[in-house]
Amino acid sequence: MSAPTLTRTVRSESPEETHRLGVRLGELLQPGDFVGLIGDLGAGKTHLVRGVAQGAQVPRSEVASPTFAIVYPYNGRIPLHHADLYRIADYDELYATGFLDLLGGESAVLVEWLDRIPEAAPREYLRITLRPSGEDARELHAEAFGPRPAELLTAWLA
Ligand SMILES: Nc1ncnc2c1ncn2[C@@H]1O[C@H](COP(=O)(O)OP(=O)(O)O)[C@@H](O)[C@H]1O
Ligand SMILES: [Mg+2]
């Protein structure tokens, strides 16, 4: 894989701070943006996604709905899809879900466990790796691949 266009690291000191970071990102997302989230169970991926959904003006009830689907569609300020690749075995299985049809379309796409199927990422995307750095602290390491993801990352942490 080629080197990232831009990288930034930000520290979150609490779940609320991670949520707020998500809100800010959600305010900036545009159709076609792809954000991949990486981190072990409990790293804070879902906290970040819930913030993103709020920032993208997705009704709270949609995000809360329990389902076992791989891809969750949200109706916000823009269409948003939230995927979780945790239970996906390989690229062929992902293909069968229709997930790949979302790429480059009208929707912004957020993907938890992108490291399970790295080939799921388009050529240009923002990758965020979350790592615990204390009981309530997390390090968010963001890597932008391509000009639009770099612009998104710059605006996010400005
Ligand atoms: N700074 C932080 N950011 C996000 N979550 C945190 C933070 N500090 C502690 N936590 C806790 O870690 C857990 C993260 O859970 P979740 O967002 O579901 O993670 P994941 O989706 O990565 O498995 C929650 O229990 C949350 O309260
Ligand atoms: Mg999660």
Side-chain angles (χ1 to χ4, degrees):
M1 181 191 301
S2 56
T5 312
L6 183 71
T7 67
R8 290 275 184 278
T9 299
V10 61
R11 199 176 144 91
S12 160
E13 303 289 349
S14 67
E16 295 73 28
E17 197 178 342
T18 299
H19 186 90
R20 282 196 297 275
L21 282 163
V23 171
R24 177 69 186 136
L25 184 58
E27 289 168 353
L28 295 165
L29 281 184
Q30 294 296 336
D33 284 340
F34 183 108
V35 180
L37 301 171
I38 295 175
D40 289 338
L41 272 175
K45 301 180 296 299
T46 298
H47 268 68
L48 192 69
V49 167
R50 284 175 185 272
V52 169
Q54 184 182 319
Q57 295 166 35
V58 175
R60 197 174 294 260
S61 56
E62 287 192 31
V63 184
S65 71
T67 156
F68 291 96
I70 300 300
V71 183
Y72 312 79
Y74 298 153
N75 298 296
R77 171 177 61 75
I78 56 169
L80 192 69
H81 283 84
H82 173 202
D84 189 326
L85 305 186
Y86 189 69
R87 288 180 302 268
I88 298 283
D90 55 29
Y91 190 80
D92 287 346
E93 191 179 332
L94 184 65
Y95 185 86
T97 66
F99 168 85
L100 299 165
D101 298 337
L102 298 172
L103 305 185
E106 296 298 298
S107 180
V109 181
L110 282 159
V111 180
E112 295 192 49
W113 292 102
L114 181 65
D115 47 329
R116 295 271 165 135
I117 322 272
E119 316 93 279
R123 198 163 45 85
E124 300 200 349
Y125 71 107
L126 180 63
R127 181 166 71 198
I128 303 173
T129 304
L130 297 93
R131 289 193 200 92
S133 55
E135 191 169 331
D136 283 334
R138 301 288 186 269
E139 220 174 67
L140 280 66
H141 182 60
E143 298 161 288
F145 297 88
R148 164 59 194 162
E151 175 190 290
L152 179 61
L153 174 53
T154 302
W156 179 36
L157 299 182

PDB file of all heavy atoms in Angstrom, residues 108-139:
ATOM      1  N   ALA A 108     -21.884   8.481   2.369  1.00  0.00           N
ATOM      2  CA  ALA A 108     -20.631   8.390   3.125  1.00  0.00           C
ATOM      3  C   ALA A 108     -20.643   7.036   3.818  1.00  0.00           C
ATOM      4  O   ALA A 108     -21.693   6.545   4.222  1.00  0.00           O
ATOM      5  CB  ALA A 108     -20.537   9.520   4.140  1.00  0.00           C
ATOM      6  N   VAL A 109     -19.477   6.418   3.920  1.00  0.00           N
ATOM      7  CA  VAL A 109     -19.404   5.050   4.448  1.00  0.00           C
ATOM      8  C   VAL A 109     -18.430   4.987   5.620  1.00  0.00           C
ATOM      9  O   VAL A 109     -17.294   5.451   5.531  1.00  0.00           O
ATOM     10  CB  VAL A 109     -18.953   4.076   3.331  1.00  0.00           C
ATOM     11  CG1 VAL A 109     -18.887   2.658   3.862  1.00  0.00           C
ATOM     12  CG2 VAL A 109     -19.896   4.156   2.128  1.00  0.00           C
ATOM     13  N   LEU A 110     -18.898   4.401   6.715  1.00  0.00           N
ATOM     14  CA  LEU A 110     -18.065   4.204   7.911  1.00  0.00           C
ATOM     15  C   LEU A 110     -17.930   2.714   8.141  1.00  0.00           C
ATOM     16  O   LEU A 110     -18.932   2.007   8.202  1.00  0.00           O
ATOM     17  CB  LEU A 110     -18.796   4.758   9.130  1.00  0.00           C
ATOM     18  CG  LEU A 110     -18.777   6.245   9.325  1.00  0.00           C
ATOM     19  CD1 LEU A 110     -19.940   6.624  10.228  1.00  0.00           C
ATOM     20  CD2 LEU A 110     -17.475   6.656   9.989  1.00  0.00           C
ATOM     21  N   VAL A 111     -16.723   2.238   8.299  1.00  0.00           N
ATOM     22  CA  VAL A 111     -16.510   0.794   8.391  1.00  0.00           C
ATOM     23  C   VAL A 111     -15.694   0.424   9.624  1.00  0.00           C
ATOM     24  O   VAL A 111     -14.515   0.792   9.731  1.00  0.00           O
ATOM     25  CB  VAL A 111     -15.793   0.280   7.131  1.00  0.00           C
ATOM     26  CG1 VAL A 111     -15.581  -1.217   7.222  1.00  0.00           C
ATOM     27  CG2 VAL A 111     -16.599   0.617   5.889  1.00  0.00           C
ATOM     28  N   GLU A 112     -16.325  -0.292  10.555  1.00  0.00           N
ATOM     29  CA  GLU A 112     -15.585  -0.814  11.713  1.00  0.00           C
ATOM     30  C   GLU A 112     -14.883  -2.108  11.311  1.00  0.00           C
ATOM     31  O   GLU A 112     -15.364  -2.845  10.480  1.00  0.00           O
ATOM     32  CB  GLU A 112     -16.538  -1.089  12.884  1.00  0.00           C
ATOM     33  CG  GLU A 112     -17.194   0.174  13.427  1.00  0.00           C
ATOM     34  CD  GLU A 112     -17.908  -0.065  14.752  1.00  0.00           C
ATOM     35  OE1 GLU A 112     -17.318  -0.662  15.662  1.00  0.00           O
ATOM     36  OE2 GLU A 112     -19.064   0.361  14.863  1.00  0.00           O
ATOM     37  N   TRP A 113     -13.755  -2.374  11.921  1.00  0.00           N
ATOM     38  CA  TRP A 113     -12.961  -3.578  11.661  1.00  0.00           C
ATOM     39  C   TRP A 113     -12.481  -3.638  10.208  1.00  0.00           C
ATOM     40  O   TRP A 113     -12.459  -4.712   9.595  1.00  0.00           O
ATOM     41  CB  TRP A 113     -13.755  -4.863  12.000  1.00  0.00           C
ATOM     42  CG  TRP A 113     -14.002  -5.019  13.459  1.00  0.00           C
ATOM     43  CD1 TRP A 113     -15.156  -4.757  14.111  1.00  0.00           C
ATOM     44  CD2 TRP A 113     -13.073  -5.462  14.471  1.00  0.00           C
ATOM     45  NE1 TRP A 113     -15.008  -5.006  15.465  1.00  0.00           N
ATOM     46  CE2 TRP A 113     -13.740  -5.444  15.706  1.00  0.00           C
ATOM     47  CE3 TRP A 113     -11.724  -5.863  14.427  1.00  0.00           C
ATOM     48  CZ2 TRP A 113     -13.125  -5.815  16.895  1.00  0.00           C
ATOM     49  CZ3 TRP A 113     -11.124  -6.231  15.623  1.00  0.00           C
ATOM     50  CH2 TRP A 113     -11.831  -6.207  16.838  1.00  0.00           C
ATOM     51  N   LEU A 114     -12.084  -2.512   9.670  1.00  0.00           N
ATOM     52  CA  LEU A 114     -11.585  -2.501   8.288  1.00  0.00           C
ATOM     53  C   LEU A 114     -10.359  -3.402   8.126  1.00  0.00           C
ATOM     54  O   LEU A 114     -10.123  -3.953   7.053  1.00  0.00           O
ATOM     55  CB  LEU A 114     -11.232  -1.071   7.870  1.00  0.00           C
ATOM     56  CG  LEU A 114     -10.719  -0.920   6.438  1.00  0.00           C
ATOM     57  CD1 LEU A 114     -11.811  -1.287   5.432  1.00  0.00           C
ATOM     58  CD2 LEU A 114     -10.205   0.480   6.169  1.00  0.00           C
ATOM     59  N   ASP A 115      -9.603  -3.591   9.215  1.00  0.00           N
ATOM     60  CA  ASP A 115      -8.393  -4.423   9.122  1.00  0.00           C
ATOM     61  C   ASP A 115      -8.720  -5.896   8.851  1.00  0.00           C
ATOM     62  O   ASP A 115      -7.858  -6.648   8.420  1.00  0.00           O
ATOM     63  CB  ASP A 115      -7.535  -4.291  10.387  1.00  0.00           C
ATOM     64  CG  ASP A 115      -8.331  -4.416  11.672  1.00  0.00           C
ATOM     65  OD1 ASP A 115      -9.514  -4.025  11.689  1.00  0.00           O
ATOM     66  OD2 ASP A 115      -7.765  -4.902  12.662  1.00  0.00           O
ATOM     67  N   ARG A 116      -9.997  -6.291   9.082  1.00  0.00           N
ATOM     68  CA  ARG A 116     -10.384  -7.674   8.760  1.00  0.00           C
ATOM     69  C   ARG A 116     -10.340  -7.897   7.249  1.00  0.00           C
ATOM     70  O   ARG A 116      -9.975  -8.985   6.796  1.00  0.00           O
ATOM     71  CB  ARG A 116     -11.813  -7.969   9.242  1.00  0.00           C
ATOM     72  CG  ARG A 116     -11.967  -7.925  10.739  1.00  0.00           C
ATOM     73  CD  ARG A 116     -11.695  -9.290  11.311  1.00  0.00           C
ATOM     74  NE  ARG A 116     -11.484  -9.203  12.741  1.00  0.00           N
ATOM     75  CZ  ARG A 116     -12.025 -10.025  13.632  1.00  0.00           C
ATOM     76  NH1 ARG A 116     -12.821 -10.983  13.225  1.00  0.00           N
ATOM     77  NH2 ARG A 116     -11.751  -9.887  14.893  1.00  0.00           N
ATOM     78  N   ILE A 117     -10.794  -6.896   6.484  1.00  0.00           N
ATOM     79  CA  ILE A 117     -10.822  -6.987   5.024  1.00  0.00           C
ATOM     80  C   ILE A 117     -10.264  -5.683   4.456  1.00  0.00           C
ATOM     81  O   ILE A 117     -11.027  -4.841   3.973  1.00  0.00           O
ATOM     82  CB  ILE A 117     -12.259  -7.185   4.476  1.00  0.00           C
ATOM     83  CG1 ILE A 117     -13.089  -8.093   5.373  1.00  0.00           C
ATOM     84  CG2 ILE A 117     -12.226  -7.651   3.016  1.00  0.00           C
ATOM     85  CD1 ILE A 117     -12.994  -9.547   5.084  1.00  0.00           C
ATOM     86  N   PRO A 118      -8.960  -5.494   4.506  1.00  0.00           N
ATOM     87  CA  PRO A 118      -8.401  -4.211   4.058  1.00  0.00           C
ATOM     88  C   PRO A 118      -8.740  -3.885   2.608  1.00  0.00           C
ATOM     89  O   PRO A 118      -8.829  -2.716   2.231  1.00  0.00           O
ATOM     90  CB  PRO A 118      -6.885  -4.408   4.221  1.00  0.00           C
ATOM     91  CG  PRO A 118      -6.724  -5.550   5.165  1.00  0.00           C
ATOM     92  CD  PRO A 118      -7.922  -6.436   4.988  1.00  0.00           C
ATOM     93  N   GLU A 119      -8.977  -4.921   1.801  1.00  0.00           N
ATOM     94  CA  GLU A 119      -9.319  -4.698   0.378  1.00  0.00           C
ATOM     95  C   GLU A 119     -10.686  -4.050   0.229  1.00  0.00           C
ATOM     96  O   GLU A 119     -11.069  -3.667  -0.879  1.00  0.00           O
ATOM     97  CB  GLU A 119      -9.321  -6.013  -0.413  1.00  0.00           C
ATOM     98  CG  GLU A 119      -8.167  -6.934  -0.147  1.00  0.00           C
ATOM     99  CD  GLU A 119      -8.517  -7.938   0.952  1.00  0.00           C
ATOM    100  OE1 GLU A 119      -8.423  -7.560   2.145  1.00  0.00           O
ATOM    101  OE2 GLU A 119      -8.864  -9.073   0.627  1.00  0.00           O
ATOM    102  N   ALA A 120     -11.431  -3.946   1.329  1.00  0.00           N
ATOM    103  CA  ALA A 120     -12.747  -3.310   1.262  1.00  0.00           C
ATOM    104  C   ALA A 120     -12.617  -1.805   1.049  1.00  0.00           C
ATOM    105  O   ALA A 120     -13.569  -1.153   0.626  1.00  0.00           O
ATOM    106  CB  ALA A 120     -13.534  -3.581   2.539  1.00  0.00           C
ATOM    107  N   ALA A 121     -11.447  -1.255   1.350  1.00  0.00           N
ATOM    108  CA  ALA A 121     -11.270   0.198   1.244  1.00  0.00           C
ATOM    109  C   ALA A 121     -11.080   0.621  -0.209  1.00  0.00           C
ATOM    110  O   ALA A 121     -10.421  -0.065  -0.975  1.00  0.00           O
ATOM    111  CB  ALA A 121     -10.059   0.629   2.057  1.00  0.00           C
ATOM    112  N   PRO A 122     -11.669   1.750  -0.577  1.00  0.00           N
ATOM    113  CA  PRO A 122     -11.408   2.298  -1.910  1.00  0.00           C
ATOM    114  C   PRO A 122      -9.994   2.882  -1.945  1.00  0.00           C
ATOM    115  O   PRO A 122      -9.286   2.882  -0.944  1.00  0.00           O
ATOM    116  CB  PRO A 122     -12.454   3.392  -2.057  1.00  0.00           C
ATOM    117  CG  PRO A 122     -12.751   3.819  -0.665  1.00  0.00           C
ATOM    118  CD  PRO A 122     -12.543   2.616   0.210  1.00  0.00           C
ATOM    119  N   ARG A 123      -9.599   3.396  -3.082  1.00  0.00           N
ATOM    120  CA  ARG A 123      -8.241   3.924  -3.228  1.00  0.00           C
ATOM    121  C   ARG A 123      -8.012   5.119  -2.300  1.00  0.00           C
ATOM    122  O   ARG A 123      -6.950   5.274  -1.716  1.00  0.00           O
ATOM    123  CB  ARG A 123      -8.017   4.319  -4.686  1.00  0.00           C
ATOM    124  CG  ARG A 123      -6.565   4.464  -5.093  1.00  0.00           C
ATOM    125  CD  ARG A 123      -6.439   4.446  -6.614  1.00  0.00           C
ATOM    126  NE  ARG A 123      -7.459   5.303  -7.238  1.00  0.00           N
ATOM    127  CZ  ARG A 123      -7.319   6.604  -7.410  1.00  0.00           C
ATOM    128  NH1 ARG A 123      -6.212   7.206  -7.022  1.00  0.00           N
ATOM    129  NH2 ARG A 123      -8.275   7.306  -7.984  1.00  0.00           N
ATOM    130  N   GLU A 124      -9.010   5.962  -2.182  1.00  0.00           N
ATOM    131  CA  GLU A 124      -8.898   7.154  -1.335  1.00  0.00           C
ATOM    132  C   GLU A 124      -9.823   7.009  -0.140  1.00  0.00           C
ATOM    133  O   GLU A 124     -11.029   6.815  -0.296  1.00  0.00           O
ATOM    134  CB  GLU A 124      -9.277   8.401  -2.137  1.00  0.00           C
ATOM    135  CG  GLU A 124      -8.367   8.592  -3.338  1.00  0.00           C
ATOM    136  CD  GLU A 124      -8.385  10.010  -3.867  1.00  0.00           C
ATOM    137  OE1 GLU A 124      -9.259  10.800  -3.439  1.00  0.00           O
ATOM    138  OE2 GLU A 124      -7.532  10.321  -4.704  1.00  0.00           O
ATOM    139  N   TYR A 125      -9.239   7.114   1.041  1.00  0.00           N
ATOM    140  CA  TYR A 125     -10.074   6.985   2.242  1.00  0.00           C
ATOM    141  C   TYR A 125      -9.317   7.485   3.459  1.00  0.00           C
ATOM    142  O   TYR A 125      -8.108   7.714   3.419  1.00  0.00           O
ATOM    143  CB  TYR A 125     -10.518   5.532   2.439  1.00  0.00           C
ATOM    144  CG  TYR A 125      -9.441   4.577   2.874  1.00  0.00           C
ATOM    145  CD1 TYR A 125      -9.395   4.087   4.177  1.00  0.00           C
ATOM    146  CD2 TYR A 125      -8.456   4.149   1.990  1.00  0.00           C
ATOM    147  CE1 TYR A 125      -8.417   3.203   4.583  1.00  0.00           C
ATOM    148  CE2 TYR A 125      -7.466   3.268   2.389  1.00  0.00           C
ATOM    149  CZ  TYR A 125      -7.450   2.801   3.687  1.00  0.00           C
ATOM    150  OH  TYR A 125      -6.469   1.937   4.085  1.00  0.00           O
ATOM    151  N   LEU A 126     -10.060   7.649   4.538  1.00  0.00           N
ATOM    152  CA  LEU A 126      -9.488   8.054   5.826  1.00  0.00           C
ATOM    153  C   LEU A 126      -9.516   6.832   6.740  1.00  0.00           C
ATOM    154  O   LEU A 126     -10.559   6.199   6.906  1.00  0.00           O
ATOM    155  CB  LEU A 126     -10.325   9.191   6.423  1.00  0.00           C
ATOM    156  CG  LEU A 126      -9.881   9.740   7.780  1.00  0.00           C
ATOM    157  CD1 LEU A 126      -8.487  10.362   7.695  1.00  0.00           C
ATOM    158  CD2 LEU A 126     -10.894  10.772   8.291  1.00  0.00           C
ATOM    159  N   ARG A 127      -8.363   6.523   7.306  1.00  0.00           N
ATOM    160  CA  ARG A 127      -8.281   5.382   8.223  1.00  0.00           C
ATOM    161  C   ARG A 127      -7.966   5.880   9.626  1.00  0.00           C
ATOM    162  O   ARG A 127      -7.035   6.658   9.814  1.00  0.00           O
ATOM    163  CB  ARG A 127      -7.177   4.436   7.738  1.00  0.00           C
ATOM    164  CG  ARG A 127      -7.023   3.201   8.620  1.00  0.00           C
ATOM    165  CD  ARG A 127      -6.189   2.139   7.950  1.00  0.00           C
ATOM    166  NE  ARG A 127      -4.784   2.497   7.858  1.00  0.00           N
ATOM    167  CZ  ARG A 127      -3.906   1.918   7.024  1.00  0.00           C
ATOM    168  NH1 ARG A 127      -4.316   0.985   6.190  1.00  0.00           N
ATOM    169  NH2 ARG A 127      -2.655   2.280   7.013  1.00  0.00           N
ATOM    170  N   ILE A 128      -8.748   5.460  10.583  1.00  0.00           N
ATOM    171  CA  ILE A 128      -8.544   5.892  11.967  1.00  0.00           C
ATOM    172  C   ILE A 128      -8.306   4.657  12.833  1.00  0.00           C
ATOM    173  O   ILE A 128      -9.161   3.777  12.914  1.00  0.00           O
ATOM    174  CB  ILE A 128      -9.767   6.682  12.489  1.00  0.00           C
ATOM    175  CG1 ILE A 128     -10.055   7.889  11.587  1.00  0.00           C
ATOM    176  CG2 ILE A 128      -9.513   7.141  13.929  1.00  0.00           C
ATOM    177  CD1 ILE A 128     -11.341   8.628  11.922  1.00  0.00           C
ATOM    178  N   THR A 129      -7.147   4.616  13.460  1.00  0.00           N
ATOM    179  CA  THR A 129      -6.812   3.510  14.355  1.00  0.00           C
ATOM    180  C   THR A 129      -6.895   3.996  15.794  1.00  0.00           C
ATOM    181  O   THR A 129      -6.253   4.987  16.158  1.00  0.00           O
ATOM    182  CB  THR A 129      -5.397   2.987  14.051  1.00  0.00           C
ATOM    183  OG1 THR A 129      -5.336   2.612  12.663  1.00  0.00           O
ATOM    184  CG2 THR A 129      -5.064   1.772  14.904  1.00  0.00           C
ATOM    185  N   LEU A 130      -7.708   3.319  16.605  1.00  0.00           N
ATOM    186  CA  LEU A 130      -7.900   3.712  18.003  1.00  0.00           C
ATOM    187  C   LEU A 130      -7.134   2.755  18.907  1.00  0.00           C
ATOM    188  O   LEU A 130      -7.270   1.536  18.780  1.00  0.00           O
ATOM    189  CB  LEU A 130      -9.383   3.672  18.380  1.00  0.00           C
ATOM    190  CG  LEU A 130     -10.307   4.630  17.624  1.00  0.00           C
ATOM    191  CD1 LEU A 130     -10.921   3.961  16.422  1.00  0.00           C
ATOM    192  CD2 LEU A 130     -11.406   5.147  18.550  1.00  0.00           C
ATOM    193  N   ARG A 131      -6.359   3.331  19.826  1.00  0.00           N
ATOM    194  CA  ARG A 131      -5.586   2.507  20.767  1.00  0.00           C
ATOM    195  C   ARG A 131      -5.770   3.019  22.184  1.00  0.00           C
ATOM    196  O   ARG A 131      -5.633   4.223  22.430  1.00  0.00           O
ATOM    197  CB  ARG A 131      -4.090   2.591  20.436  1.00  0.00           C
ATOM    198  CG  ARG A 131      -3.682   1.882  19.165  1.00  0.00           C
ATOM    199  CD  ARG A 131      -2.159   1.747  19.072  1.00  0.00           C
ATOM    200  NE  ARG A 131      -1.767   1.517  17.690  1.00  0.00           N
ATOM    201  CZ  ARG A 131      -1.450   2.472  16.835  1.00  0.00           C
ATOM    202  NH1 ARG A 131      -1.445   3.730  17.234  1.00  0.00           N
ATOM    203  NH2 ARG A 131      -1.134   2.173  15.592  1.00  0.00           N
ATOM    204  N   PRO A 132      -6.043   2.100  23.114  1.00  0.00           N
ATOM    205  CA  PRO A 132      -6.118   2.515  24.516  1.00  0.00           C
ATOM    206  C   PRO A 132      -4.758   3.041  24.964  1.00  0.00           C
ATOM    207  O   PRO A 132      -3.721   2.470  24.617  1.00  0.00           O
ATOM    208  CB  PRO A 132      -6.451   1.225  25.257  1.00  0.00           C
ATOM    209  CG  PRO A 132      -7.003   0.296  24.232  1.00  0.00           C
ATOM    210  CD  PRO A 132      -6.338   0.669  22.943  1.00  0.00           C
ATOM    211  N   SER A 133      -4.764   4.147  25.699  1.00  0.00           N
ATOM    212  CA  SER A 133      -3.507   4.677  26.230  1.00  0.00           C
ATOM    213  C   SER A 133      -3.705   5.059  27.690  1.00  0.00           C
ATOM    214  O   SER A 133      -3.070   5.955  28.209  1.00  0.00           O
ATOM    215  CB  SER A 133      -3.049   5.882  25.400  1.00  0.00           C
ATOM    216  OG  SER A 133      -4.047   6.863  25.329  1.00  0.00           O
ATOM    217  N   GLY A 134      -4.606   4.336  28.330  1.00  0.00           N
ATOM    218  CA  GLY A 134      -4.967   4.583  29.720  1.00  0.00           C
ATOM    219  C   GLY A 134      -6.390   4.124  29.884  1.00  0.00           C
ATOM    220  O   GLY A 134      -7.035   3.783  28.902  1.00  0.00           O
ATOM    221  N   GLU A 135      -6.903   4.089  31.123  1.00  0.00           N
ATOM    222  CA  GLU A 135      -8.251   3.550  31.342  1.00  0.00           C
ATOM    223  C   GLU A 135      -9.289   4.299  30.518  1.00  0.00           C
ATOM    224  O   GLU A 135     -10.119   3.691  29.845  1.00  0.00           O
ATOM    225  CB  GLU A 135      -8.596   3.612  32.828  1.00  0.00           C
ATOM    226  CG  GLU A 135      -9.846   2.826  33.166  1.00  0.00           C
ATOM    227  CD  GLU A 135     -10.024   2.663  34.660  1.00  0.00           C
ATOM    228  OE1 GLU A 135      -9.008   2.639  35.383  1.00  0.00           O
ATOM    229  OE2 GLU A 135     -11.180   2.569  35.101  1.00  0.00           O
ATOM    230  N   ASP A 136      -9.240   5.620  30.553  1.00  0.00           N
ATOM    231  CA  ASP A 136     -10.207   6.432  29.815  1.00  0.00           C
ATOM    232  C   ASP A 136      -9.559   7.219  28.682  1.00  0.00           C
ATOM    233  O   ASP A 136     -10.181   8.112  28.119  1.00  0.00           O
ATOM    234  CB  ASP A 136     -10.909   7.406  30.762  1.00  0.00           C
ATOM    235  CG  ASP A 136     -11.968   6.719  31.596  1.00  0.00           C
ATOM    236  OD1 ASP A 136     -12.496   5.677  31.131  1.00  0.00           O
ATOM    237  OD2 ASP A 136     -12.249   7.196  32.700  1.00  0.00           O
ATOM    238  N   ALA A 137      -8.350   6.889  28.365  1.00  0.00           N
ATOM    239  CA  ALA A 137      -7.663   7.625  27.301  1.00  0.00           C
ATOM    240  C   ALA A 137      -7.507   6.735  26.071  1.00  0.00           C
ATOM    241  O   ALA A 137      -7.313   5.526  26.175  1.00  0.00           O
ATOM    242  CB  ALA A 137      -6.300   8.106  27.783  1.00  0.00           C
ATOM    243  N   ARG A 138      -7.639   7.369  24.923  1.00  0.00           N
ATOM    244  CA  ARG A 138      -7.466   6.670  23.658  1.00  0.00           C
ATOM    245  C   ARG A 138      -6.626   7.536  22.735  1.00  0.00           C
ATOM    246  O   ARG A 138      -6.800   8.757  22.705  1.00  0.00           O
ATOM    247  CB  ARG A 138      -8.816   6.429  22.976  1.00  0.00           C
ATOM    248  CG  ARG A 138      -9.805   5.614  23.789  1.00  0.00           C
ATOM    249  CD  ARG A 138      -9.397   4.166  23.855  1.00  0.00           C
ATOM    250  NE  ARG A 138     -10.405   3.331  24.509  1.00  0.00           N
ATOM    251  CZ  ARG A 138     -10.441   3.067  25.809  1.00  0.00           C
ATOM    252  NH1 ARG A 138      -9.537   3.599  26.617  1.00  0.00           N
ATOM    253  NH2 ARG A 138     -11.372   2.278  26.302  1.00  0.00           N
ATOM    254  N   GLU A 139      -5.753   6.883  21.978  1.00  0.00           N
ATOM    255  CA  GLU A 139      -5.021   7.590  20.943  1.00  0.00           C
ATOM    256  C   GLU A 139      -5.682   7.285  19.605  1.00  0.00           C
ATOM    257  O   GLU A 139      -5.873   6.120  19.266  1.00  0.00           O
ATOM    258  CB  GLU A 139      -3.574   7.107  20.931  1.00  0.00           C
ATOM    259  CG  GLU A 139      -2.590   8.227  20.708  1.00  0.00           C
ATOM    260  CD  GLU A 139      -1.165   7.737  20.845  1.00  0.00           C
ATOM    261  OE1 GLU A 139      -0.737   6.934  19.997  1.00  0.00           O
ATOM    262  OE2 GLU A 139      -0.507   8.152  21.800  1.00  0.00           O
TER     263      GLU A 139
END
